[in-house]
Amino acid sequence: MHAFEYANPTTLKDALALLGNRWGDADVLAGGTDILSLMKDEVYVSKRLVNIKNIKELGGISMSRGALRIGAGATLEQLIENAEIRKSFPSLAAAARGVASPQIRNIGTVGGDLCQRPRCWYYRGGNGLLAKGANGRPLVPNGENKYHAIFGHEGGAYFVSPSSLGPALVALDAKIKLASASGTREVEAAKFFVAPASDTARETALLPNEIVTEILVPAGMRNATYEVREKQALDWPLATASVALQMKGNSVASAKVVLGHVAPTPWLAAAAGQALSGKSLSDSTIAEAADAAVQGAKPLSQNKYKVQLARVAVKRALTEIARGRA
Amino acid sequence: MPTTVRVECTINDETREFLCEPRQSLLECLRDVLGLTGTKEGCNDGNCGSCTVMMDGRIVPSCLVLGVESQGSEITTIEGVARGSELHPLQTAFLESAALQCGICTPGFIVAAKALLDRNPRPDEHEIRLWLANNLCRCTGYDKIIRAVQQAAATLQEAK
């Protein structure tokens, strides 16, 4: 790993003053599970790491004014251990529980889950975010693409968004709060994630001089996440589904179905949400929504299997709600 | 000349002070600066669990924590698990169950398993396997490790 300068501010204001306007001049260090691996592999180089773990205002999880506030510095394990989240936001608890291992969840943070870089092996191998070969041709479509996108890759980003919480937050209509030295802004979770159109673009709306400070999640929706993995633990999902339903009596007033690990961003399956609207949950309405969720998938040469996994994930997430388990 | 930083923390109940560069991991500081070579380096990337240590009451991969981040924290390494020459029941059970061959993964397994038994004294096999999923062993095939943890849990229960 190249040498870098280390800063350990204790206030958000001080931390923001230490960031710059270009990535790599200064970067945020939270859990470190991603940025330190990238820097060890020299896929990413930063001149200054700003540790934000000792900033109290970035921590904590609480309910206020009908919304859940999650400090971006809260660890994934703190999220899982929180009684309010387990009770009212099982979708978030399930998504966090699926991440890696106790060791990683003990240091990995909520903000870090949202901002981590893609796990695409071409990117991690130094071929850039859009994974292009020496002649500028994309490597993924004819390469090893078993774990790549089946949706949303028309713009040339074939990786899948690695965030576990992202799909759940998009489904729940969460807002992500960002701060810079010149002020704060709120971004809808759905707009926080973007498919980059060039190698120098990023996968999130976060700017180099900003820090994710907190996430606000409205309460009142039935919600669940179902994850499909090859192994039961310490594995990345192959496909996930996060669902959030606004109920009116026994019928669904409105629904959001969001797929994870199938596109460069959490993938809102609008047709699946519409298929559920005004209906009650039954095996047949759930199956229709699951079919609708994967309509228009464009699998690559090795990942057609993900279409079926995503369909099953939607079915199981909705079934958990129908059976009162989430 | 890279800048070095002075760090003070508690390791195995002793106050320790050391100098390190910001880019040195806690793992490197433990092994190369402080001479605590019981903690092992495997993948150096958070995947294998060999470098697991306890930091402020939670297990962490010490390869993904910077030495400078340990300022003010309390750390327990494998060297802090036995009481003098008296082995912890987990260490005895690992020896008696032949739960190690080359031994590189063992310190990480023992520190991680101890954290499990401290919070869940009677884990079932599934809970043990899930908890230890981030600790890789290329020799034993895991079954003997799981049995050793079950054996240690039983010994600790009897001692109560």
Side-chain angles (χ1 to χ4, degrees):
Chain A
M1 189 162 30
H2 291 283
F4 56 84
E5 180 196 325
Y6 172 76
N8 187 26
T10 52
T11 67
L12 180 60
K13 190 166 172 275
D14 288 349
L16 292 168
L18 289 157
L19 295 180
N21 289 317
R22 277 186 317 184
W23 298 109
D25 281 351
D27 289 86
V28 164
L29 171 71
T33 60
D34 189 33
I35 196 163
L36 294 181
S37 319
L38 284 166
M39 287 174 66
K40 285 182 187 192
D41 291 344
E42 298 182 5
V43 174
Y44 193 74
V45 176
S46 187
K47 291 182 199 140
R48 174 191 287 164
L49 289 188
V50 180
N51 180 18
I52 58 166
K53 279 191 297 295
N54 294 310
I55 301 174
K56 283 211 175 65
E57 57 203 284
L58 293 180
I61 299 172
S62 58
M63 283 297 290
S64 75
R65 281 169 284 150
L68 173 74
R69 176 204 168 270
I70 308 171
T75 64
L76 295 169
E77 202 59 32
Q78 285 167 346
L79 198 74
I80 298 167
E81 288 169 1
N82 185 279
E84 187 62 41
I85 289 182
R86 285 213 300 259
K87 185 172 130 252
S88 305
F89 302 92
S91 177
L92 288 173
R97 222 179 275 124
V99 176
S101 67
Q103 283 96 325
I104 299 294
R105 293 192 299 267
N106 279 339
I107 55 174
T109 63
V110 170
D113 176 81
L114 304 180
C115 298
Q116 63 182 314
R117 311 302 307 275
R119 295 281 154 177
C120 164
W121 41 44
Y122 292 104
Y123 168 63
R124 299 268 160 173
N127 295 290
L129 206 49
L130 300 192
K132 287 180 181 159
N135 57 7
R137 262 212 312 261
L139 295 167
V140 179
N142 299 310
E144 296 298 328
N145 54 39
K146 181 179 174 187
Y147 300 119
H148 286 81
I150 58 171
F151 286 104
H153 50 62
E154 296 80 2
Y158 290 93
F159 61 81
V160 296
S161 168
S163 171
S164 288
L165 301 177
L169 294 174
V170 173
L172 286 160
D173 281 331
K175 291 201 166 57
I176 296 171
K177 246 178 133 169
L178 311 174
S180 71
S182 53
T184 62
R185 62 184 179 125
E186 263 183 23
V187 181
E188 288 169 33
K191 291 188 178 150
F192 180 75
F193 297 96
V194 285
S198 76
D199 268 324
T200 50
R202 283 264 170 155
E203 323 80 76
T204 67
L206 187 77
L207 297 172
N209 65 346
E210 289 179 316
I211 292 177
V212 177
T213 56
E214 60 189 32
I215 294 105
L216 301 166
V217 195
M221 281 184 276
R222 299 286 304 279
N223 58 90
T225 288
Y226 192 91
E227 215 177 279
V228 186
R229 274 177 273 150
E230 283 171 324
K231 295 193 290 175
Q232 289 184 50
L234 196 68
D235 203 3
W236 292 92
L238 298 168
T240 72
S242 291
V243 297
L245 310 179
Q246 194 70 60
M247 301 298 290
K248 197 174 177 188
N250 277 331
S251 70
V252 175
S254 66
K256 278 213 173 141
V257 176
V258 182
L259 305 176
H261 289 80
V262 296
T265 62
W267 189 253
L268 177 66
Q274 283 151 17
L276 289 167
S277 179
K279 306 208 177 111
S280 62
L281 292 180
S282 68
D283 286 354
S284 62
T285 58
I286 287 174
E288 278 164 31
D291 287 342
V294 293
Q295 263 172 26
K298 291 189 181 132
L300 305 169
S301 58
Q302 299 176 343
N303 66 9
K304 202 172 166 201
Y305 73 100
K306 279 190 157 194
V307 177
Q308 174 63 6
L309 296 187
R311 180 191 284 126
V312 170
V314 171
K315 207 184 280 184
R316 294 193 183 174
L318 288 168
T319 303
E320 286 194 13
I321 293 179
R323 300 209 176 140
R325 291 196 301 247
Chain B
M1 195 47 198
T3 327
T4 56
V5 181
R6 180 184 159 279
V7 179
E8 188 179 312
C9 61
T10 306
I11 303 177
N12 302 329
D13 296 327
E14 272 179 48
T15 304
R16 302 293 298 257
E17 253 186 77
F18 61 91
L19 291 174
C20 69
E21 277 186 60
R23 65 171 153 177
Q24 286 182 288
S25 66
L26 173 60
L27 171 64
E28 279 177 77
C29 294
L30 289 169
R31 289 182 56 84
D32 303 342
V33 181
L34 296 161
L36 292 165
T37 53
T39 305
K40 301 296 185 236
E41 177 181 324
C43 69
N44 201 21
D45 208 12
N47 282 297
C48 79
S50 299
C51 68
T52 302
V53 301
M54 197 79 148
M55 186 171 182
D56 295 328
R58 292 187 182 261
I59 48 170
V60 302
S62 61
C63 70
L64 290 182
V65 176
L66 297 175
V68 286
E69 291 180 68
S70 66
Q71 170 64 37
S73 65
E74 279 188 33
I75 293 162
T76 307
T77 67
I78 186 67
E79 286 90 345
V81 172
R83 299 247 162 254
S85 60
E86 188 193 331
L87 295 182
H88 186 276
L90 268 165
Q91 293 170 308
T92 308
F94 266 64
L95 287 171
E96 291 177 353
S97 309
L100 64 151
Q101 287 176 32
C102 84
I104 289 284
C105 71
T106 313
F109 265 105
I110 289 186
V111 170
K114 184 173 178 299
L116 171 65
L117 298 185
D118 286 348
R119 64 189 254 164
N120 179 1
R122 286 179 216 191
D124 63 27
E125 181 183 340
H126 187 67
E127 288 169 326
I128 298 171
R129 286 188 188 271
L130 274 186
W131 185 269
L132 297 176
N134 202 168
N135 292 79
L136 305 186
C137 171
R138 301 301 298 265
C139 304
T140 63
Y142 300 101
D143 288 353
K144 291 186 279 187
I145 291 173
I146 306 305
R147 281 201 289 276
V149 176
Q150 289 171 315
Q151 173 61 46
T155 306
L156 285 161
Q157 284 295 303
E158 281 164 28
K160 273 189 183 166

